[in-house]
Amino acid sequence: MKFQIPIGPQHPALKEPISLRMTVEGEIIRDADLRLGYNHRGLEKLAEQKTWIQNIYLTERICGICSHSHTTCYVQGVEKLMEIEPPKRGQYIRYLVSELERIHSHLLWLGVAGHEAGFDSFFMYTWRDREIVMDILEIISGNRVHYGINTIGGVRRDLDEQQVKHILDSLAILRQRSEYYQHLGTNEPSFVARLAGVGYLSREDAIALCAVGPTVRASGVPMDVRKDDPYGIYDEVPFEVCTAETCDVLGRTVVRIKELFQCYNIIEYLLKNLPTGPVAVRAPRRAKPNEVVSRYEAPRGENIHYIKSNGTDKPERLKVRAPTLGNYAATIKMLKNGFIADVPLIFAAIDPCICCAERAVALVDARSGQEKIISMNALKQLSRQVAAGNARKREAEWPL
Amino acid sequence: MKIGVFIPELLRHLFKKPATVDYPFQKLEVPRDFRGSPYLRPELCIVCRACERDCPAEAIEITATNEAEKRFRMVIHNDRCIHCAQCVDSCPTDAMQMDTKFEISDYDRHNLKMEWEYVRAVVKPKSEPKTS
């Protein structure tokens, strides 16, 4: 006997609105379907009406957790369009903030994983330690969530000796805490037993379904934009791509804890080799007609911005592919043949950011399953056609 | 591997100070470069409108009240402001500044509006305003 269970769009297990429909046989999920579109904000259209500088702050607001990822991805692209190169010190500070953001995102995720696995004290402690890195970000940029450190042609704030010392001191505490969490992971059997074997995604499936970020790395595929297609300063910074072979939620946890240590190493390297000089160059207000694709390894995976300019001070098109969208197909695969009770854990393991991923609206024919993207004008025409053909409704009366 | 590895950590924290502060009575200090609300120093404003043009939230409005006397009025709609401090970066004369207030909520959004009426200043910009 098969049942269909809807979870969401509003559900305590989900932090953001998304609709999951699962066909279950007893406790086992046989088929899953994702329905998106509950959090569409029209950001891409809005970006076409704002100038290059204004769009930095707009792209920053695509996501709260990876706000710096989106601006860096956008700014890298715009710098290529404008043919300017930010100075070395500016680049070092920019990618320093990106690594700090990766630490804060991974610590946040560890807490969420603990919470979903029923280990709430772990959640409290990781989030308390996350405050240390949030404080560093506030000291560097002046704000905790939307750092606003990027500008076209460099960064907006410089670092002084005192700040560098503060960051290094705080990092020592964070490193010590992360070592403790690593020790905890290897020694706490109940936590490990909850995560192991949940949400299995084989290496072949991870590649075939185009998973990104820690999800694909946990399936043993060393895929990282920072290594594969180095942007900015990543070709001169030594670091390793962290992978795990277990292909489950435990593997995704291990990858993130390993990445934390890589982040500490990168930050120490960046601060010790911080070049002197200016932090930004002057950017023109207009960009020549051209198009560019910018890639960036966000904490959640590969982030892609496609930017097209037409010679004015506004972009003609800005297309954002957030990492969560790349992971949706793999999530469905992970959910299949799992238990209903594992849904929040599997879903949390891709670190979903729904509002990042919601871009265009596609219409799906419920009977044939055909999908099409429809323009506003076509939609209006369709509505007129339906209204004209519907004689019965024309006689409808206003009930009040 | 043993059961209850986390317990020593939990017990240790029974004797530690709370990680949070007692907020309304005790406040955290904001960092030096904190981005609070923007304000204008009218004696420095040369009305180049760089802030108005670059504001991503369209929160700054400059209108001429008397063209002949070169009197202008600037309104900062703090209800729309996203506290990015781009106006401070765009300003060629340091007339725009950020304060360090963070308790700025109000019952009415119109109370958040700030207004200045002033005569255009004659100050040499430290750099050319960013024009196209």
Side-chain angles (χ1 to χ4, degrees), chain A residues 371-398:
Chain A
E371 228 174 85
K372 58 181 174 183
I373 293 181
I374 204 161
S375 72
M376 194 63 204
N377 282 342
L379 199 67
K380 274 181 193 157
Q381 235 166 19
L382 193 73
S383 109
R384 268 183 228 127
Q385 274 173 13
V386 171
N390 202 334
R392 186 168 46 83
K393 280 235 177 103
R394 293 200 155 187
E395 293 152 19
E397 276 181 22
W398 181 242

Side-chain angles (χ1 to χ4, degrees), chain A residues 54 57 128 146-147 156-157, chain B residues 13 35 55 84 86 89:
Chain A
Q54 288 175 333
Y57 305 102
R128 182 199 61 189
H146 292 303
Y147 321 121
R156 294 168 63 197
R157 305 255 169 123
Chain B
H13 280 84
R35 304 203 304 268
C55 178
C84 63
Q86 179 60 46
D89 282 13

Side-chain angles (χ1 to χ4, degrees), chain A residues 76-95:
Chain A
Q76 274 174 187
V78 177
E79 276 162 3
K80 258 186 233 165
L81 283 177
M82 291 181 172
E83 294 160 357
I84 50 173
E85 175 84 16
K88 264 278 177 285
R89 189 179 172 89
Q91 288 202 18
Y92 267 62
I93 295 173
R94 178 181 292 173
Y95 296 109

Side-chain angles (χ1 to χ4, degrees), chain B residues 10-30:
Chain B
L10 290 179
L11 291 177
R12 200 160 44 243
H13 280 84
L14 282 178
F15 307 102
K16 279 194 176 174
K17 273 195 298 182
T20 51
V21 294
D22 200 6
Y23 165 61
F25 310 107
Q26 193 191 343
K27 281 169 195 169
L28 284 177
E29 221 172 278
V30 292

